[in-house]
Amino acid sequence: MANGSASIIAAGTVIRGRVRADSDLEVHGHVEGSIVATGTVVVAEGGLVKSDIEANTVRVAGAVAGNLRAEALIVLEATARVVGDVSAPTIGIRPGALVRGRVATGELSAPQPARAAATRGAVPALRGTAPALRGAVAGARGSAPLLHGNAPLLHGNAPGSGGRAGEIARQGSKPVQADARNAAVAAPPSRPLATVPATPAARVQAASAPDRKSSANVASGVVASPKVAEPSRPTAQARATEAAAPPAKPERRAPPPVAPALSKHSKKTARRSVRS
Amino acid sequence: MAATIIGAGITIEGEISSDDEVIVGGVVRGKLSVGGSVTVESGAVVEADVDAASVSVGGSVTGNVTAAERVDLLSGGKLIGDVKAARLTIADGAVFKGNVDMEV
């Protein structure tokens, strides 16, 4: 009956342990453990996988709690629910799919080492940014002096976030690159940064970052918008409200599908910035 | 519900439990508890205790087999382990080593 090529874990079947497949695998039931396949793994609607999945191609219409890694392609269908990191050269997420975790594309392609190094380097900077950001948001809510008080912090983090922003910009051309953490963290700090007088320094710093072109673009673009707003709202406090008021701004920079994918790390800050 | 098919290229190390039919064409190590029938195809390797309503062995099974209804050891099949079942058939050309308990 089985033709040897297609393997199906039917609904009502539970596997606890390691699954290795040299062929395609379809999961309608439950798998807990790990799945490593050289072909295509399909987690069908109703299927539940509590394990990492490594395969050439992964299609998810069911639920996965674990990391997904594919050599070629990962597709998350509209009914998919994924809690875990997703990495593949090409990733597709259909509207309606739920993802919580880090999404990385192009990891297996040639420029991987440089990218990986850049990411590693940027992570501490990002961590440093988060508290500063929180402080900056609080400052924006409260009063201008606080905002100024935070200026050095923000500047200190500018190179890190600038480099990060560059990466986002580079990823922007692909369909799903929304790395939530990066987008959320990279976008907001530039707002308070723009209201601080000493911005040019940050711009210079950002421009001197490795991805000169893209980070410069992002930095100058970000800096430009509050500048336009400045003449009509002269007081620092008004500027602070301006920075805090429009929730549309962060949405424009950080694409919407990003929101559910936020990591624990940045969720608080991101929420705060959206709410304010 | 459709049957669970563990194809020729699949290796599972662990526990499989199912309410329905399971067809094994690949390798299973661990434990197999099935509410329906288990078919071990020619070329398949099962190194596990098998508990099912009925078991048909065309491949190789190493482990104890318990079936509520019947166990069929087909020609070319190999079974090493104890069998506990109400009915047991062993075809010509099958290999069997173990005890049989027919719950008389």
Side-chain angles (χ1 to χ4, degrees):
Chain A
M1 274 170 85
N3 57 20
S5 61
S7 294
I8 300 170
I9 312 294
T13 296
V14 179
I15 295 181
R16 286 191 186 85
R18 284 186 293 166
V19 178
R20 240 172 342 113
D22 296 327
S23 58
D24 297 351
L25 179 65
E26 230 176 273
V27 180
H28 298 257
H30 292 196
V31 176
E32 293 174 23
S34 74
I35 297 177
V36 178
T38 52
T40 300
V41 173
V42 176
V43 180
E45 200 170 348
L48 171 62
V49 176
K50 288 184 185 169
S51 74
D52 295 352
I53 300 178
E54 259 179 63
N56 183 268
T57 302
V58 180
R59 270 173 205 283
V60 180
V64 177
N67 300 332
L68 302 180
R69 256 178 62 111
E71 279 163 34
L73 169 71
I74 293 177
V75 177
L76 308 182
E77 305 289 353
T79 52
R81 284 174 295 147
V82 175
V83 179
D85 297 349
V86 180
S87 67
T90 311
I91 297 178
I93 303 179
R94 295 204 196 283
L98 187 149
V99 185
R100 287 185 86 161
R102 191 185 157 83
V103 178
T105 57
E107 291 264 314
L108 302 173
S109 58
Q112 182 199 0
R115 268 286 285 283
T119 315
R120 239 177 282 129
V123 167
L126 279 172
R127 287 212 184 108
T129 311
L133 208 161
R134 238 170 273 149
V137 172
R141 275 205 199 115
S143 60
L146 257 175
L147 193 70
H148 284 284
N150 280 305
L153 265 177
L154 289 166
H155 285 284
N157 287 300
S161 44
R164 218 59 190 137
E167 197 172 316
I168 305 297
R170 230 185 310 134
Q171 290 182 342
S173 56
K174 295 184 190 169
V176 186
Q177 286 49 25
D179 185 332
R181 223 172 331 186
N182 304 343
V185 176
S190 30
R191 246 185 306 134
L193 205 157
T195 58
V196 169
T199 327
R203 209 187 307 164
V204 170
Q205 270 175 309
S208 64
D211 315 299
R212 202 183 303 153
K213 217 176 188 179
S214 44
S215 58
N217 283 349
V218 169
S220 58
V222 163
V223 167
S225 57
K227 260 189 189 166
V228 173
E230 258 174 49
S232 57
R233 296 171 190 264
T235 70
Q237 206 158 5
R239 249 179 277 145
T241 5
E242 164 76 4
K249 272 185 184 174
E251 268 173 23
R252 202 176 32 177
R253 274 177 215 123
V258 150
L262 290 173
S263 72
K264 280 180 203 161
H265 177 61
S266 66
K267 211 186 288 174
K268 281 181 202 159
T269 51
R271 275 211 195 120
R272 246 174 249 187
S273 64
V274 169
R275 248 187 256 141
S276 60
Chain B
M1 276 199 283
T4 291
I5 302 169
I6 296 160
I10 305 283
T11 302
I12 295 179
E13 290 172 8
E15 194 180 314
I16 301 174
S17 56
S18 176
D19 307 333
D20 220 298
E21 188 184 358
V22 173
I23 298 165
V24 181
V27 178
V28 174
R29 295 193 183 93
K31 197 168 186 289
L32 197 50
S33 312
V34 179
S37 66
V38 170
T39 304
V40 180
E41 296 189 318
S42 172
V45 176
V46 175
E47 293 174 9
D49 291 344
V50 180
D51 190 345
S54 65
V55 180
S56 163
V57 180
S60 165
V61 175
T62 307
N64 300 330
V65 176
T66 306
E69 291 162 23
R70 60 185 300 131
V71 173
D72 294 307
L73 186 47
L74 310 177
S75 176
K78 182 180 168 188
L79 173 54
I80 297 173
D82 297 347
V83 174
K84 190 173 179 184
R87 294 166 179 221
L88 169 67
T89 64
I90 301 177
D92 185 10
V95 175
F96 175 52
K97 184 179 178 183
N99 299 315
V100 177
D101 180 354
M102 297 185 75
E103 300 175 325
V104 182

